Amino acid sequence: VSQGAHPPPLLFCLPTVTSEQIEHLHRRFKQLSRDQLTIRKENFDSIPDLEFNPIRGKIVHAFFDKRNLRQESDGLADEINFEDFLTIMSYFRPIEMNMDEEQLDRFRKEKLKFLFHMYDSDHDGKITLQEYRNVVEELLSGNPHLEKDSARSIADGAMMEAASICVGQMGPDQVYEGITFEDFLKMWQGIDIETKMHVRFLNMETIAHCY
Amino acid sequence: RLPFPSQGIIERDETPMEKEIKRLHQVDFEFSDIFYFCRKGFEAIVEDEVTQRFSSEELVSWNLLTRTNINFHYVSLRLTILWVIGVVVRYCFLLPLRFTLAAIGITSMIVGTTMVGQLPNSSLKNYLSEVVHLTCSRILVRALSGTIRYHNKENKPQKGGICVANHTSPIDAIILTNDGCYAMVGQVHGGLMGVIQRATVKACPHVWFERSEIKDRHLVTKRLREHVMDKSKLPILIFPEGTCINNTSVMMFKKGSFEIGGTIYPVAIKYDPQFGDAFWNSSKYNIVSYLLRIMTSWAIVCDVWYLPAMVREEGEDAVQFANRVRSAIARQGGLTELPWDGGLKRAKVKDTFKEEQQKNYSKMLVRNGSIG
């Protein structure tokens, strides 16, 4: 069924993804990279559906963020290969039934870390008010009817909420530096994100192909 | 809104944005909205509706024609037996029947139009010519087991106009003439086609060009313009792509048709691939083998949409006008638009839809009282 080179051997373990799914992703990778071995930021421009997305920039950015690629260094990569592509896609794995407590916890932390990196654009480990404002502005970008101030006040309101959850009551002189990853985890305690942040592959057998 | 369902490889949550974001708003701040857009973004990256539709011509379930099965594979005895029965039915029963019908249709066309052609020019002649053309078209459509659904008949092309449609196969013309009378435009051929052309032009002013005349673009435009000027003449039928396309996309329209002037009546034709592949790949099959394949398919099922008339606007050149018409046809037929450089472009509708999405989203934020 598949033509062309087989996908390169994986250096890390992806127990939950079947080889069929990897083949699909590889085909998609080849499509995006136009048959090259690596993808650059520009290659994501060829996805018309992605254009709709207000946080398109952040999503594409996430693919090249070295923190997400589990690389030692920091900053942005210029190009990624198929293995990196799979690494990023693995953040969106759906939950498995047979996961134990520890695995589930790690799973959840990974997804939240991915999200945290999206907000923390200067890579300093904190989401500051300015960074949060940037995200809200992006979410509302392209709408000419909304004023800049509205985006600001949304961001400010949200940060205050976050501060009250993380630090509790603050004194009048206290300044809230920014949301660290621990605070971020605290905010999401008890809320089920694992089922919202995944992309589920259709079971190939259920599609009645007469091959 | 696509006429046919598209199967994908990932499960897509079709909950509308409002519902989904309301669900996520258990915590009262906008971090959760990021989830929604993040997931949508990843879904788009894994599988893009446009590219997928364009690249996969595979049917979800096999329709028992080997030609549509790209990797023919022995699956089970029962399936093979079914397939053999299918072959017998198609080749031994349907094919002779259709061939006979086609022969009757073509003969009637030639004989009928020659007879009508003997009459002096009058409204009676025009009326009879229309009757002959329509009847023979209908016989030919039956010969292909064609099931055609016409939509928006109120927009049917009027006299003195130009009808423009996307091109998938030589039978497009028959599909359209089944429902109305047109003046055909084309090159003079030899053989059987030539005989038909010479006969029909006696009854009805079709525009047939000699090979040498086609090269002279001004001559072609002049003749067509003369035809269009005469408001009593039937609308011309033109396929501006110039070549057959595989019915999932609309390629660049040649601007010549749009320089003639007059009113353009766009028509979108979309075939249902489940019953038979109507696309003529002229580099792979000649006309005879193509017709054989068509006549041994299960049926030709298609939808025809008549779109509202368009005219060239002030300050619009032929190319822009051509693109505008092409967008309208592509949108209606659920086809993608494909400029020559192979990149994928979408109609203007997308921009406004994108703004709509974002407007909706910000409306929701405002409504939720996030803004004081």
Side-chain angles (χ1 to χ4, degrees), chain A residues 48-49 51-52, chain B residues 1-2 50 53 310 323-324 326-332 334-335 337 345-359:
Chain A
D49 275 358
E51 264 181 80
F52 279 170
Chain B
R1 215 193 354 95
L2 302 175
V50 172
R53 210 189 325 147
M310 292 180 157
N323 283 336
R324 194 157 60 93
R326 185 171 74 126
S327 300
I329 293 181
R331 221 177 309 144
Q332 179 64 76
L335 308 162
E337 292 177 70
K345 276 214 190 125
R346 291 212 126 179
K348 283 205 209 97
V349 152
K350 270 268 171 163
D351 283 341
T352 51
F353 181 61
K354 180 178 173 182
E355 275 169 25
E356 270 296 318
Q357 272 250 334
Q358 291 180 324
K359 256 190 259 172

Side-chain angles (χ1 to χ4, degrees), chain B residues 265-302:
Chain B
Y265 297 91
V267 175
I269 306 176
K270 178 85 174 95
Y271 292 89
D272 184 349
Q274 197 70 32
F275 293 93
D277 182 16
F279 168 49
W280 182 31
N281 188 346
S282 48
S283 50
K284 231 174 148 189
Y285 304 104
N286 62 19
I287 185 78
V288 174
S289 49
Y290 169 71
L291 285 174
L292 190 70
R293 273 158 58 96
I294 289 283
M295 288 201 184
T296 52
S297 306
W298 293 116
I300 299 293
V301 177
C302 65

Side-chain angles (χ1 to χ4, degrees), chain A residues 28 53 119 141 143 196 211, chain B residues 24 34 45 58 358 362:
Chain A
R28 180 62 172 163
N53 206 305
Y119 277 87
S141 63
N143 185 346
K196 296 180 180 75
Y211 285 130
Chain B
L24 289 170
I34 288 279
I45 291 175
E58 299 162 31
Q358 291 180 324
S362 32

Side-chain angles (χ1 to χ4, degrees), chain A residues 24 28 48-49 51-54 89 92 115 118-119 139 141 143 191 193 196-198 200 202 208 211, chain B residues 8-9 11 24 27 31 34-35 37-39 41 44-46 48 58 60 73 350 353-354 358 361-362:
Chain A
H24 270 289
R28 180 62 172 163
D49 275 358
E51 264 181 80
F52 279 170
N53 206 305
M89 292 310 300
F92 277 76
L115 212 60
M118 262 201 179
Y119 277 87
L139 276 176
S141 63
N143 185 346
I191 295 169
I193 59 121
K196 296 180 180 75
M197 216 173 117
H198 71 259
R200 187 179 288 280
L202 286 174
Y211 285 130
Chain B
I9 58 169
E11 186 181 302
L24 289 170
V27 210
F31 275 112
I34 288 279
F35 279 144
F37 288 113
C38 215
R39 201 181 76 205
I45 291 175
V46 171
D48 173 18
E58 299 162 31
V60 174
H73 223 83
K350 270 268 171 163
F353 181 61
K354 180 178 173 182
Q358 291 180 324
Y361 175 67
S362 32

Side-chain angles (χ1 to χ4, degrees), chain A residues 56-148:
Chain A
R56 182 188 175 284
K58 290 247 185 283
I59 294 177
V60 174
H61 200 94
F63 274 81
F64 296 88
D65 191 336
K66 287 199 181 161
R67 297 174 293 178
N68 292 337
L69 295 172
R70 303 177 207 257
Q71 284 171 18
E72 292 310 319
S73 54
D74 200 15
L76 288 180
D78 285 326
E79 49 185 19
I80 52 171
N81 59 23
F82 182 59
E83 202 185 303
D84 299 325
F85 186 71
L86 280 186
T87 312
I88 306 286
M89 292 310 300
S90 70
Y91 287 103
F92 277 76
R93 270 181 292 163
I95 314 183
E96 293 276 290
M97 290 299 116
N98 54 3
M99 280 185 166
D100 62 19
E101 278 287 338
E102 197 201 309
Q103 279 183 305
L104 270 175
D105 191 50
R106 198 158 28 105
F107 202 61
R108 192 188 153 85
K109 270 220 181 86
E110 267 178 24
K111 292 196 189 235
L112 284 172
K113 189 129 215 182
F114 183 79
L115 212 60
F116 186 78
H117 289 158
M118 262 201 179
Y119 277 87
D120 181 22
S121 36
D122 62 1
H123 301 215
D124 67 353
K126 285 204 294 281
I127 304 177
T128 60
L129 179 61
Q130 190 51 48
E131 282 169 342
Y132 190 60
R133 276 187 188 153
N134 286 342
V135 177
V136 178
E137 269 167 22
E138 245 185 64
L139 276 176
L140 301 176
S141 63
N143 185 346
H145 302 294
L146 211 61
E147 293 153 15
K148 256 211 150 69

